[in-house]
Amino acid sequence: IALAVGSAGGARLTETGLSVGTPYYMSPEQATGDVGVGPAADIYALSAVLYEMLTGEPPYTGNTAQAVLGRIIQGGSVSARAVRSSVPRNVDAAIRKGLEKLPADRFTSAAQVADALQDPAFRHGEERVAPGTAESGPLFKAMAAAIVVLGLGLSAAVYALLTQPDPRRPVERFAMPFLPGQELEYTGSAGYRLAPDGSILVYRHNPEGGPEQVLMARRWDELSATRIRETTGAQDPVISPDGLELAFEQGGEVKALALAGGPVRTLMSPGYDPIWGHDGYVYARADSGMVRAPSGGGAVEDLTDFGADDGRRPFDLLPDGERLLYGAAVEDFQRFEIRVLDLGSGESTYVTDGTSPRYLPGPGLLVYLQDGVMMAVPFDPGAVEMEGTPVAIMDGLAHFSIADDGKLFYTRGLGGGVDQMMRLVWVDREGNVEPIDPDWTFMRGGADTWWSVSPDGTRLAVRELNADGNDIWIKQLDDGPRSRLTFGDSENWMPEWGPEPGEITFTSDRDGNLDVWTKRADGTGEPRLIVDMEQQIATFGWSPDGEWLVLRTAGPRGVEGGRDIYAFRPGVDTVPQPLLANSEYDEMYPQISPDGRWLAYQTTETDRHEIYVRPFPDVGSGRWQISVDGGRNPQWSHSGDELFFQGPNREMMVVDVETSGGFSAGTPRTLFQNDPDWIWGDILGNIYDVHPDDQRFVLGMAVGSDDDDDDAPDAVLVTNFLQVLRSQTGR
């Protein structure tokens, strides 16, 4: 109908002033006004009708036609089986294939639709199933047969006209060495940017090692880069949607110029971190808040009230032009969030933790970094919510830029932050390193990393970051399988073995506060609450007999004092009692000796972190300082005659102790020196554990740090990277 009206000289279906039919069954290409709408749209409409026949609702609904069309264009995939479990798998798969966003991803003929509806083995993409799935019944077989008739009726009109999908372009990767004197000088997350069409890379360069950097333009069809005039000291380059102009920050002002030549114009003063919207405006931060100005120059418009110095930075304008993806540094820049800002209301919505977000409207994906790991997830920009599970695409990235044509340019470098990929290694008393399982890596997921070797040395409990957040996993040592222990929306930390054999104790926020829970390590049974107190519980330790639990509370971030040690007897005490609590300094990492008579801990009472030992539970009857020049993270040997701790230079220290009568300690000595690639603890994580034989330790190492990757390129260009993203995310 739309094509017929157009051929008669009328407006297109989606143009103002004409509405032919209803929006519920329009294909995405119709909804966007694509002039190439063809018979694939009929496959989409047929699938939408079938979906409604089976579920009672069209695939995408809304209060207005505009809302429906928006969901058709940007909404996530739908599944009839996710609504009604009795829908046969092949019928659901046929519907999902017929409703694909891209015409080339749908069936190429109505005959194929008929075949899929009659083939019980037909599958497509990722299946989503509602509880209580039933097999195909007579009703649905009859319904499928009816749809076959409908599909065959359409086939005469569309079979010969449907467009075959284009052959997939190959994914190609190229190391990007730059000519001498034209090297990319990466100094931060805004060091370079691809043009939207992928033809040009604009990057920062430090000519002849001088103090001032300039911007360079490298076209991929040329071997040499070109210096961009009047860009000395410039940063944060961003190229206009048509690829003809460049905006950048220079001296606290946002400026723009034509790449082909012409004067430099100042758009905003002050201005920081510009992004070039598809609506003809350049957006940036200013001292007054978020502002924008016409890209050709003109009045600066105030949009919101977050300013230049509060850890927020714009990254991408969403397709509707009304919402902005931005990054926010929170908790004294210890954590980074991705948020969406409504430019009209000023309302901010949290999306996920991460940095450098980019929304790709083609596949409908949000792509971002979590300290060196590129993540991708289906994203609904209208509803401002993720529509699936984030997938790790690649790690070891410092920064990246993706063009609309699918090119990816990235620079390598471990983020070194709290969400980096890592592996665990054995380190013996001489400092020799051996991977526990060379094929096992995981995401750290925060500075408070924690792992614990089982009393018999056969298993390892470890906290890992996965798509659902931080959870506890059990690893069979050394190269055995892993199993997940905790599930759900809660965040879980600090796994320790005990108090009973085969149990894991951990902290969790599942009741809204960080409390202590326990669960069987084999995964059976439900978690059991051990301690519920008003303060957040950061770390803990059991006495050998399981009668005592010593706890360290969380204090204010960046402020000394408020981290205190409490003692609790499950089944005896109703609330934990203060054991070592002083508001002027911190007491941390309480560890009870194997004989249950002594408490080792870390404190700042001498204006630096040192290790002390006191009698337990009568901590007021004595005190011995163990470390001399600084110490952290005390742990007792399993024999009880040694105490390990992290030295002032992050070396592994040990001191001989006598605990059978009174207490005495020898002189601390170094076991092995620190390797800069090891991940040590501070106040947040028990980043080593002692094997029951007391001859080796479990430490963490950043992935890539122990690999021979010196010859790997620092900068890489990838073509057709969207195919990688689609393959990994199912989009």
Side-chain angles (χ1 to χ4, degrees):
I1 296 174
L3 293 175
V5 172
S7 299
R12 292 284 299 174
L13 175 68
T14 55
E15 291 181 344
T16 303
L18 179 66
S19 177
V20 180
T22 57
Y24 298 109
Y25 315 105
M26 288 184 184
S27 64
E29 61 268 29
Q30 287 176 285
T32 56
D34 193 333
V35 297
V37 172
D42 291 329
I43 296 292
Y44 184 97
L46 173 65
S47 303
V49 171
L50 177 54
Y51 180 97
E52 184 175 357
M53 289 172 65
L54 298 177
T55 67
E57 294 283 346
Y60 301 98
T61 60
N63 294 328
T64 65
Q66 290 82 1
V68 174
L69 295 178
R71 290 188 173 94
I72 289 174
I73 297 169
Q74 298 177 344
S77 60
V78 295
S79 167
R81 274 176 65 81
V83 179
R84 294 188 66 181
S85 61
S86 56
V87 175
R89 287 183 171 85
N90 63 304
V91 175
D92 179 59
I95 294 172
R96 287 186 283 109
K97 184 172 178 64
L99 293 176
E100 286 284 3
K101 302 294 184 185
L102 295 179
D105 290 339
R106 299 174 204 145
F107 293 103
T108 58
S109 70
Q112 290 184 351
V113 179
D115 291 339
L117 291 172
Q118 297 179 93
D119 180 5
F122 179 79
R123 298 292 184 269
H124 175 73
E126 181 180 354
E127 181 181 0
R128 291 188 293 163
V129 185
T133 299
E135 295 299 324
S136 176
L139 172 62
F140 282 96
K141 290 180 179 178
M143 189 176 293
I147 299 302
V148 169
V149 174
L150 177 59
L152 291 174
L154 287 175
S155 64
V158 303
Y159 181 84
L161 299 176
L162 287 174
T163 303
Q164 296 292 332
D166 294 333
R168 288 187 172 181
R169 294 176 294 155
V171 178
E172 300 173 317
R173 294 172 171 84
F174 304 93
M176 278 292 115
F178 293 84
L179 294 180
Q182 299 182 355
E183 297 87 351
L184 180 148
E185 190 74 23
Y186 178 68
T187 58
S189 61
Y192 53 82
R193 185 69 66 92
L194 280 170
D197 66 0
S199 63
I200 306 172
L201 177 77
V202 174
Y203 65 94
R204 296 183 71 183
H205 167 67
N206 191 346
E208 300 178 356
E212 293 287 348
Q213 295 186 337
V214 299
L215 296 181
M216 305 284 288
R218 166 74 187 277
R219 298 180 182 273
W220 303 127
D221 58 357
E222 299 177 0
L223 293 176
S224 181
T226 303
R227 178 170 175 168
I228 302 175
R229 69 195 186 285
E230 299 186 60
T231 59
T232 299
Q235 58 185 351
D236 302 335
V238 57
I239 303 174
S240 62
D242 60 11
L244 301 178
E245 296 188 287
L246 176 73
F248 52 89
E249 177 189 335
Q250 187 180 51
E253 298 178 324
V254 173
K255 301 180 180 181
L257 55 78
L259 288 170
V264 176
R265 58 188 184 274
T266 299
L267 300 181
M268 283 163 272
S269 180
Y272 318 88
D273 302 323
I275 61 171
W276 204 309
H278 47 76
D279 56 357
Y281 286 90
V282 173
Y283 295 76
R285 290 185 300 124
D287 294 338
S288 60
M290 179 62 66
V291 297
R292 72 177 183 181
S295 59
V300 178
E301 179 183 355
D302 290 324
L303 298 175
T304 67
D305 61 359
F306 76 72
D309 299 318
D310 63 356
R312 305 188 187 189
R313 181 184 173 197
F315 280 99
D316 201 2
L317 187 68
L318 293 177
D320 62 5
E322 299 176 356
R323 296 176 178 87
L324 185 76
L325 268 173
Y326 75 94
V330 298
E331 298 177 4
D332 295 330
F333 287 80
Q334 297 298 308
R335 189 167 62 84
F336 298 89
E337 296 179 346
I338 295 171
R339 307 186 70 91
V340 170
L341 178 70
D342 188 303
L343 296 174
S345 66
E347 180 182 354
S348 173
T349 303
Y350 170 82
V351 177
T352 186
D353 282 7
T355 62
S356 307
R358 171 76 197 278
Y359 177 68
L360 305 178
L365 293 173
L366 174 66
V367 182
Y368 58 97
L369 291 181
Q370 284 188 339
D371 274 317
V373 180
M374 176 185 282
M375 307 293 292
V377 61
F379 182 72
D380 184 343
V384 191
E385 61 184 20
M386 296 188 295
E387 295 185 310
T389 300
V391 176
I393 304 298
M394 68 174 76
D395 56 22
L397 273 65
H399 182 52
F400 72 93
S401 179
I402 298 180
D404 293 342
D405 75 336
K407 286 190 181 73
L408 165 73
F409 184 85
Y410 69 89
T411 44
R412 296 175 59 252
L414 292 170
V418 298
D419 288 330
Q420 69 201 87
M421 297 295 291
M422 61 186 301
R423 65 165 46 96
L424 297 182
V425 297
W426 293 118
V427 183
D428 65 21
R429 295 173 76 103
E430 286 72 44
N432 300 308
V433 179
E434 180 183 359
I436 290 178
D437 185 341
D439 297 327
W440 172 42
T441 60
F442 62 94
M443 190 174 294
R444 183 180 178 186
D448 48 357
T449 311
W450 200 283
W451 44 80
S452 176
V453 182
S454 64
D456 62 3
T458 64
R459 291 177 291 177
L460 186 74
V462 61
R463 198 286 314 284
E464 301 181 22
L465 176 65
N466 53 54
D468 297 328
N470 287 298
D471 277 300
I472 311 300
W473 292 69
I474 306 298
K475 164 74 171 173
Q476 303 291 329
L477 295 175
D478 277 356
D479 55 359
R482 295 162 52 247
S483 60
R484 185 172 171 181
L485 185 69
T486 60
F487 298 86
D489 297 331
S490 60
E491 295 286 328
N492 306 280
W493 294 273
M494 314 300 178
E496 286 279 5
W497 293 86
E500 299 296 329
E503 285 189 339
I504 296 292
T505 305
F506 56 95
T507 57
S508 177
D509 64 358
R510 60 192 59 213
D511 277 353
N513 192 58
L514 203 56
D515 297 318
V516 178
W517 296 72
T518 187
K519 185 177 181 180
R520 288 185 54 84
D522 61 10
T524 60
E526 294 297 322
R528 178 167 53 92
L529 180 64
I530 300 295
V531 181
D532 180 7
M533 63 185 299
E534 181 178 350
Q535 297 97 322
Q536 303 275 357
I537 299 173
T539 67
F540 59 87
W542 284 103
S543 63
D545 57 12
E547 293 186 6
W548 287 92
L549 188 64
V550 286
L551 315 164
R552 193 268 283 180
T553 57
R557 186 180 294 273
V559 178
E560 188 169 308
R563 298 174 180 88
D564 299 316
I565 296 175
Y566 286 72
F568 180 74
R569 291 173 293 176
V572 178
D573 299 327
T574 56
V575 294
Q577 300 299 317
L579 191 67
L580 293 170
N582 190 297
S583 60
E584 297 181 0
Y585 49 82
D586 293 322
E587 301 92 356
M588 297 171 287
Y589 291 114
Q591 294 290 318
I592 301 175
S593 63
D595 62 8
R597 299 176 55 221
W598 311 96
L599 179 76
Y601 65 101
Q602 173 183 326
T603 179
T604 59
E605 62 184 85
T606 59
D607 295 328
R608 65 182 175 191
H609 294 270
E610 298 282 9
I611 306 299
Y612 282 80
V613 169
R614 290 176 180 259
F616 181 82
D618 185 14
V619 295
S621 61
R623 187 184 69 158
W624 294 265
Q625 182 173 342
I626 303 301
S627 58
V628 178
D629 297 319
R632 300 172 185 265
N633 303 95
Q635 288 206 49
W636 296 93
S637 68
H638 293 76
S639 63
D641 55 12
E642 291 180 311
L643 187 62
F644 304 104
F645 63 92
Q646 176 187 332
N649 297 312
R650 298 184 182 273
E651 64 270 53
M652 181 65 77
M653 305 290 294
V654 64
V655 58
D656 296 325
V657 296
E658 173 60 49
T659 62
S660 59
F663 180 85
S664 63
T667 301
R669 63 187 188 277
T670 301
L671 278 181
F672 50 83
Q673 295 293 333
N674 172 54
D675 186 311
D677 294 327
W678 292 339
I679 300 173
W680 287 96
D682 190 355
I683 64 172
L684 293 175
N686 191 34
I687 322 270
Y688 75 93
D689 198 23
V690 185
H691 189 273
D693 64 11
D694 293 333
Q695 299 303 306
R696 51 183 177 161
F697 307 84
V698 182
L699 279 82
M701 180 173 283
V703 168
S705 60
D706 60 344
D707 297 331
D708 185 14
D709 60 356
D710 293 340
D711 295 331
D714 292 327
V716 178
L717 176 70
V718 184
T719 64
N720 201 24
F721 186 67
L722 291 185
Q723 181 174 317
V724 176
L725 293 174
R726 289 183 183 277
S727 174
Q728 294 289 333
T729 62
R731 299 300 289 261

